[in-house]
Amino acid sequence: MNLSFHGAAETVTGSCHLLEACGVRILVDCGMFQGSRELQEDNASPLGFDAASIDYVLLTHAHLDHVGRLPLLVKRGFRGEVIATSATFELARLVILDSAHLQSEDARHHRHSRSSKRESDDCEPLYSMLDALDAIGRFGRSAEYGKVIPISSGVRATFFDAGHILGSASILVDANEGGRKRSILFSGDIGNDGRPLLRAPQTPTAAEHVVMEGTYGDRCHRPFAASVDEFFDAINSTLARGGNVLIPTFALERTQDILYFLHEGIAQARLPATLPVFLDSPMAISATEIFRRHPECYSSGMAGRFAAAADPLSVPGLRMTRETLESIAINRIHGGAVIMAGAGMCTGGRIRHHLAGNLGNAAAGVVFVGFAALGTLARRIVDGARTVRILGEDIPVRARIHTINGFSAHADQRELVAWHNRIGGIKMTFLVHGEASAIRELGTRLGPSRIEIPKLHQAFRL
Ligand code: ZN
């Protein structure tokens, strides 16, 4: 059995791991690098293996940093089968089509600015809408949690609910190599226990090798209930100052968690009943519709609420703005509204217009509810920048900035250690998907197995 790492090595994004067992080549995730310019440039680099040689791709979940290079893989020759849960397929379709669209927009923008300054810049998009459609054409069998999927002679996979986003999974691959039974568990992204919509992360009882994420390997989240209080306080104090509340949202999961909290806050009279809320992200709107179609992904109590039409994602004053003109019209509102827009790390999307319009206003509030990677606009604001450059303009940061850590879709250090402890028989643990300092720190806290921190394209013989 051979294992090599082609992304998320000492960094959070670009997940892509290649497993070779019993003569088949299986890729687990094929994600995009996100964040700094250098990291993003890695997307166009050689994959580190021959795309045409890959037989299967197993997807842990639909976040861009786990599925974003799938169209590139197909463009470079992959013709095998993609296997994922049905919710992941639905969300991944949305994510890669959106990514193809963003890239063609970026390339057009670059070409436009190149004619004036940067002659040498490459302005080809990484892949086109057609490549994205070709990738979707490779979507094959849907995995059900806990049910074994035969991959090829001697190799099988089992998906376990990872509790991270809708449809997310940890994937156990079992291989029988000449009578020798081997197993390797890919954690995917591990969820945060006790979140309202999803189940807590599930694991198999044992695995010989583990490839594990460590995004929050060096810290613990604030308790959940305290974060909900903080969230309501941030909204109410901003409304009291007369400003708008901006919430940069990740379209998948975080948006729906926030809708749920708004629903509960209004139901419990902790937020004004007439609160105007804008969901200004076509992708988040589509994702929210997908959430309503997958009762199999929820705890039984939550699935019952969806079934009873007591929709836990409904908010009385909610307006979903798909059209650009509707989005522009929000600029005329100078206070009293909650505006949710993508992208979560403010690297693009409609949130940039809203930040440009509100950051300079001391009455406004910006509530960050998710991870902000190094090099992103969100991180600069969270880290206390006095001015930020948005859409070609220097904008002073006068708005109140709130960072709510407890809503993370990721397990914190304590939960990661507990997750690892639940799995018996681990011989070797590979730590990925974390900034170097975070995974090193996590490595010091994990049980007796050997710990490896792979470098990009590093290969191991197991
Ligand atoms: Zn994720």
Side-chain angles (χ1 to χ4, degrees):
M1 204 152 79
N2 290 313
L3 178 65
S4 51
F5 296 86
H6 305 285
E10 297 188 307
T11 182
V12 180
T13 60
S15 281
C16 184
H17 315 309
L18 171 59
L19 178 71
E20 301 165 71
C22 303
V24 286
R25 288 164 68 81
I26 301 165
L27 211 57
V28 177
D29 291 338
C30 194
M32 185 95 97
F33 293 102
Q34 295 172 275
S36 68
R37 203 181 166 78
E38 294 75 37
L39 260 176
Q40 288 184 47
E41 281 167 4
D42 283 350
N43 289 314
S45 307
L47 293 160
F49 51 85
D50 175 12
S53 73
I54 302 298
D55 303 297
Y56 297 93
V57 177
L58 311 181
L59 298 178
T60 62
H61 66 289
H63 272 150
L64 187 66
D65 65 321
H66 293 257
V67 302
R69 282 189 291 165
L70 209 49
L72 185 69
L73 188 76
V74 175
K75 185 178 173 183
R76 294 187 180 171
F78 168 68
R79 292 294 176 269
E81 181 188 9
V82 182
I83 301 173
T85 64
S86 63
T88 293
F89 276 145
E90 276 206 72
L91 293 172
R93 202 171 283 140
L94 195 65
V95 168
I96 61 182
L97 287 173
D98 179 66
S99 167
H101 170 73
L102 284 179
Q103 284 175 62
S104 62
E105 296 273 285
D106 273 3
R108 190 175 324 149
H109 177 78
H110 250 81
R111 226 170 279 139
H112 183 73
S113 64
R114 188 182 73 157
S115 54
S116 51
K117 17 186 209 303
R118 291 190 293 257
E119 281 301 321
S120 62
D121 264 15
D122 184 5
C123 55
E124 271 296 295
L126 198 57
Y127 48 78
S128 67
M129 198 58 100
L130 280 178
D131 298 318
L133 289 169
D134 282 344
I136 291 166
R138 309 311 313 170
F139 287 6
R141 286 171 286 172
S142 308
E144 277 177 54
Y145 292 131
K147 289 214 174 126
V148 170
I149 296 196
I151 301 286
S152 75
S153 154
V155 184
R156 33 188 236 161
T158 314
F159 286 56
F160 294 85
D161 191 345
H164 169 62
I165 67 165
L166 193 83
S168 67
S170 296
I171 305 174
L172 179 70
V173 180
D174 289 297
N176 188 335
E177 289 187 315
R180 186 154 176 232
K181 292 209 164 98
R182 321 295 306 272
S183 62
I184 178 162
L185 176 66
F186 295 88
S187 72
D189 289 2
I190 302 167
N192 184 356
D193 280 347
R195 284 174 45 245
L197 295 170
L198 300 180
R199 285 184 287 254
Q202 314 287 306
T203 57
T205 49
E208 189 183 10
H209 301 284
V210 174
V211 177
M212 181 182 181
E213 71 116 331
T215 317
Y216 286 102
D218 59 349
R219 62 207 117 130
C220 286
H221 301 317
R222 295 203 55 191
F224 200 75
S227 299
V228 176
D229 292 345
E230 234 181 304
F231 178 63
F232 292 156
D233 286 349
I235 292 177
N236 286 324
S237 64
T238 307
L239 295 176
R241 288 196 304 275
N244 285 324
V245 183
L246 303 192
I247 310 178
T249 45
F250 297 87
L252 313 188
E253 205 64 42
R254 195 55 40 83
T255 292
Q256 294 75 29
D257 282 350
I258 296 299
L259 287 175
Y260 174 81
F261 294 132
L262 293 172
H263 172 99
E264 292 290 289
I266 291 165
Q268 296 164 13
R270 298 182 66 191
L271 293 173
T274 54
L275 181 64
V277 177
F278 293 89
L279 180 53
D280 189 27
S281 158
M283 182 149 152
I285 295 167
S286 298
T288 303
E289 285 161 9
I290 293 173
F291 267 65
R292 296 196 167 105
R293 291 203 286 268
H294 288 277
E296 78 282 4
C297 295
Y298 300 108
S299 64
S300 53
M302 192 54 71
R305 286 180 65 178
F306 278 102
D311 185 343
L313 303 182
S314 68
V315 174
L318 178 65
R319 289 197 39 205
M320 304 217 189
T321 49
R322 273 191 194 272
E323 301 288 334
T324 311
L325 280 178
E326 295 174 304
S327 173
I328 294 169
I330 300 172
N331 294 343
R332 290 199 294 269
I333 301 170
H334 298 293
V338 172
I339 303 163
M340 305 164 66
M345 299 197 207
C346 312
T347 47
R350 293 177 176 179
I351 192 67
R352 294 169 76 92
H353 294 274
H354 299 305
L355 286 169
N358 288 273
L359 267 182
N361 177 3
V366 185
V367 187
F368 288 96
V369 291
F371 186 76
L374 275 173
T376 59
L377 175 59
R379 182 66 165 258
R380 286 196 288 283
I381 298 172
V382 166
D383 284 348
R386 287 290 185 69
T387 15
V388 286
R389 202 163 174 81
I390 304 174
L391 306 169
E393 261 184 83
D394 288 320
I395 313 278
V397 182
R398 297 198 193 97
R400 191 85 53 90
I401 308 301
H402 304 263
T403 313
I404 310 229
N405 286 319
F407 289 167
S408 177
H410 285 273
D412 65 6
Q413 186 189 61
R414 185 184 52 78
E415 291 167 322
L416 288 169
V417 172
W419 182 91
H420 192 265
N421 283 343
R422 283 203 295 275
I423 303 158
I426 305 176
K427 282 192 191 143
M428 217 166 152
T429 302
F430 298 90
L431 293 179
V432 295
H433 199 292
E435 282 160 17
S437 55
I439 49 181
R440 247 177 243 129
E441 158 92 29
L442 177 63
T444 65
R445 314 235 163 191
L446 295 180
S449 74
R450 187 174 133 201
I451 303 288
E452 284 285 351
I453 297 179
K455 303 262 182 232
L456 188 63
H457 303 309
Q458 193 174 355
F460 295 82
R461 202 174 164 72
L462 306 180

